[in-house]
Amino acid sequence: MVNGLIRRQLGYWRRHLSSRRIGTGAYRDEYYRTVVAQGYQGVKEDIKIGREEMTNQYMHTNNEDRLEQLIDNFKSPIEFSFGYGLGVFEQSGYDIKKKPQIDMIHIVREPRRFHTSNLRQFAEHYSFLKMFGISSISKIGEYGAGVYFNPYISMRDHDEQENMIKYGVISKKDALTDLSEWSSLYLAGRLQKPVKYLKEEGEEQMIQKLNQYNLKSAFGVALLMMKEDRINEVKLYERIAQLSYMGDIRMLIGGENPNKVKNIVSKQYKNFQTLYEPITQYFVDQGVIRVLSETQQTQDLGDEIRGFKLQLTSDKKMNIISQLPLQFRKKLYQSYEKKYSAELKRDSEAQRVLYQQSYDSVKPGIYVKSIANDEYFRKTLINTVKYTVAYPAVCQTLKGVFTAGLVKSFKYAWEKKVKNLTSN
């Protein structure tokens, strides 16, 4: 109780500083050179970025005290936790009178250790898998995106009010790998949208530091996918929010509301704006986008929402492509391996990416230039996102039958379907 009170007081001052936006400048490439070149292997504890440069990631919610009280209930070791989804931030098209399930993800150093302790405290949270021991729980959790979910958990806050929560557990290594390489775009995709940080242990803050790179990568991919050269800020955020749903089987079979992305952005526009402010400034400084004047916005976009003129020259496209997360970049390069084989033989940097050789330089070469100028590049990029998302998403869906049990899995699928049918 005392620790919870102290954390909430610290949270207050953190939010106070965040609201003043102290020190939030543009994203800086030099912080992430080893991450771009080596992915997870290049993650350093000494990335030179301070908390004051990450205030864009700290969001406000109307129920943050209750969320922090719920986190206090977990006695097992959690290094980092965040809340997301409809139960944390409002979305358009849903009945606000209904109390939605609160979604959380806990990032832990050792999932096996967490589940061992958590099973002793909350045995009722686990499905029939607990009868087969911790090894079975840990092994199932490793498949797909590496997240083990316990859904439809009833938990009391400090006021003894019942709350329905769903919490996932993922290893810190898997989390950092996804943020730095886009191995699945599962955790990274959630952190590309506004989330509420609930618990932070230790001083290194590697999740937040790597998330700045994740946000920059998502912004860059969204720009590369744009067809028009004048873009509406809302449409840009919708494209970013859409990335983690592309290729997700639930969207294909009607398990998710087809308007989900629009509903997220319409209610969280200001949060998206705050989250991507330093990234927007970076791309403005790089000359990739230019902020339109108020007159141009009204004339060209038809509303007062901020607009941009996209200035994607070949060199700028090459620069964005060459700094994309490592596993994702490798998949993109593989798509052109046969088509531009001659160029690949002359591009040592691209060869190192494809063949997983250690390197430090991220300078784009002739192979990347061919990719950037390819007439079907946009389509290939979209397919690469879908390919990255699809397999982990399918695995996570199938895992739910085991981690949640048949009854809870059916209930979850049915409620998703009902929300799909009744939402705008």
Side-chain angles (χ1 to χ4, degrees):
M1 183 74 73
V2 174
N3 289 338
L5 180 61
I6 293 173
R7 186 160 69 243
R8 285 193 291 279
Q9 286 296 318
L10 290 174
Y12 167 79
W13 286 109
R14 184 179 66 224
R15 293 190 297 271
H16 177 66
L17 291 174
S18 173
S19 65
R20 293 172 61 191
R21 309 289 294 284
I22 295 176
T24 302
Y27 171 93
R28 295 169 67 176
D29 283 327
E30 57 263 34
Y31 292 145
Y32 300 98
R33 294 195 186 281
T34 58
V35 175
V36 172
Q38 302 171 35
Y40 174 74
Q41 296 302 322
V43 174
K44 304 291 185 182
E45 301 296 318
D46 61 346
I47 291 177
K48 305 300 183 184
I49 177 172
R51 178 184 286 275
E52 70 281 357
E53 295 178 88
M54 300 184 292
T55 55
N56 59 300
Q57 297 185 39
Y58 292 92
M59 300 292 155
H60 304 292
T61 65
N62 293 329
N63 60 349
E64 51 196 51
D65 285 340
R66 178 160 56 93
L67 293 171
E68 291 177 1
Q69 289 171 19
L70 292 172
I71 285 294
D72 284 344
N73 289 329
F74 290 93
K75 306 307 177 187
S76 302
I78 298 172
E79 292 218 350
F80 188 88
S81 183
F82 65 90
Y84 65 98
L86 182 59
V88 179
F89 296 102
E90 285 186 18
Q91 295 178 20
S92 299
Y94 296 102
D95 186 354
I96 60 175
K97 294 180 180 178
K98 294 181 179 179
K99 200 173 181 181
Q101 181 173 243
I102 296 170
D103 295 321
M104 305 175 181
I105 289 184
H106 303 328
I107 297 172
V108 303
R109 188 168 292 275
E110 299 176 25
R112 186 185 182 96
R113 181 185 172 200
F114 173 88
H115 289 303
T116 299
S117 173
N118 199 53
L119 190 60
R120 286 197 295 265
Q121 184 184 4
F122 298 121
E124 68 278 8
H125 290 187
Y126 290 82
S127 68
F128 65 90
L129 282 177
K130 63 188 174 188
M131 296 187 295
F132 299 96
I134 291 296
S135 295
S136 297
I137 293 173
S138 299
K139 192 65 180 176
I140 288 290
E142 293 172 2
Y143 289 105
V147 187
Y148 186 103
F149 278 107
N150 282 326
Y152 291 103
I153 304 301
S154 180
M155 184 172 282
R156 294 179 183 274
D157 55 31
H158 292 176
D159 297 324
E160 295 299 316
Q161 293 185 359
E162 292 285 345
N163 299 268
M164 192 65 68
I165 73 169
K166 178 182 78 173
Y167 64 94
V169 180
I170 184 173
S171 73
K172 185 176 181 180
K173 180 179 180 181
D174 285 346
L176 295 179
T177 300
D178 198 27
L179 287 172
S180 60
E181 300 189 23
W182 282 9
S183 52
S184 69
L185 263 173
Y186 196 87
L187 182 101
R190 278 151 182 77
L191 289 173
Q192 288 164 5
K193 308 171 189 68
V195 302
K196 176 62 183 175
Y197 291 165
L198 301 175
K199 184 171 185 176
E200 304 169 72
E201 294 292 339
E203 299 297 324
E204 62 189 40
Q205 299 177 312
M206 288 306 298
I207 299 298
Q208 301 95 310
K209 291 177 181 180
L210 278 180
N211 197 42
Q212 291 290 79
Y213 172 63
N214 176 42
L215 296 174
K216 182 253 188 177
S217 300
F219 199 102
V221 167
L223 292 179
L224 292 173
M225 287 183 177
M226 291 293 175
K227 292 181 179 179
E228 305 83 7
D229 63 350
R230 294 183 186 272
I231 55 178
N232 184 312
E233 190 174 28
V234 170
K235 296 298 182 185
L236 178 60
Y237 296 149
E238 287 177 352
R239 173 60 76 176
I240 292 171
Q242 186 183 27
L243 293 178
S244 60
Y245 295 110
M246 296 169 65
D248 190 333
I249 190 173
R250 296 174 302 170
M251 297 297 286
L252 299 175
I253 64 176
E256 282 285 6
N257 180 4
N259 295 317
K260 187 177 183 72
V261 168
K262 291 181 180 294
N263 292 341
I264 290 172
V265 175
S266 65
K267 274 289 187 180
Q268 298 182 51
Y269 168 68
K270 291 297 183 182
N271 282 340
F272 270 96
Q273 207 171 40
T274 298
L275 185 63
Y276 283 96
E277 181 191 19
I279 313 303
T280 302
Q281 187 59 52
Y282 166 84
F283 282 102
V284 169
D285 293 344
Q286 293 291 313
V288 177
I289 56 176
R290 176 171 59 83
V291 180
L292 296 176
S293 68
E294 291 184 12
T295 302
Q296 290 173 317
Q297 289 176 40
T298 303
Q299 291 176 349
D300 300 333
L301 301 174
D303 53 39
E304 296 180 358
I305 296 170
R306 187 165 59 167
F308 305 108
K309 173 72 165 64
L310 190 56
Q311 304 173 139
L312 267 180
T313 63
S314 177
D315 287 346
K316 289 169 184 174
K317 286 177 70 176
M318 289 168 60
N319 189 55
I320 295 173
I321 293 167
S322 66
Q323 295 188 51
L324 292 175
L326 187 57
Q327 286 192 46
F328 182 84
R329 197 179 347 141
K330 180 180 177 181
K331 292 187 184 82
L332 183 63
Y333 286 9
Q334 284 174 332
S335 300
Y336 291 98
E337 204 167 354
K338 291 182 179 179
K339 188 172 184 178
Y340 298 118
S341 58
E343 289 82 356
L344 178 59
K345 290 177 181 178
R346 296 159 53 197
D347 192 335
S348 58
E349 301 294 341
Q351 290 177 35
R352 291 186 181 115
V353 173
L354 278 169
Y355 308 132
Q356 295 182 311
Q357 299 170 347
S358 178
Y359 68 105
D360 294 320
S361 172
V362 294
K363 186 177 180 180
I366 189 170
Y367 186 65
V368 179
K369 184 175 183 178
S370 299
I371 292 174
N373 293 327
D374 186 83
E375 61 179 321
Y376 299 110
F377 169 72
R378 182 177 175 276
K379 182 178 179 181
T380 304
L381 181 65
I382 290 172
N383 287 336
T384 304
V385 174
K386 290 180 178 179
Y387 178 72
T388 301
V389 170
Y391 175 72
V394 169
C395 284
Q396 287 295 145
T397 300
L398 295 176
K399 276 167 58 175
V401 177
F402 297 95
T403 61
L406 287 172
V407 175
K408 286 184 178 180
S409 295
F410 178 79
K411 181 181 179 183
Y412 181 75
W414 176 252
E415 287 196 358
K416 283 282 187 181
K417 190 68 177 178
V418 170
K419 270 198 273 186
N420 183 1
L421 295 172
T422 58
S423 302
N424 296 324

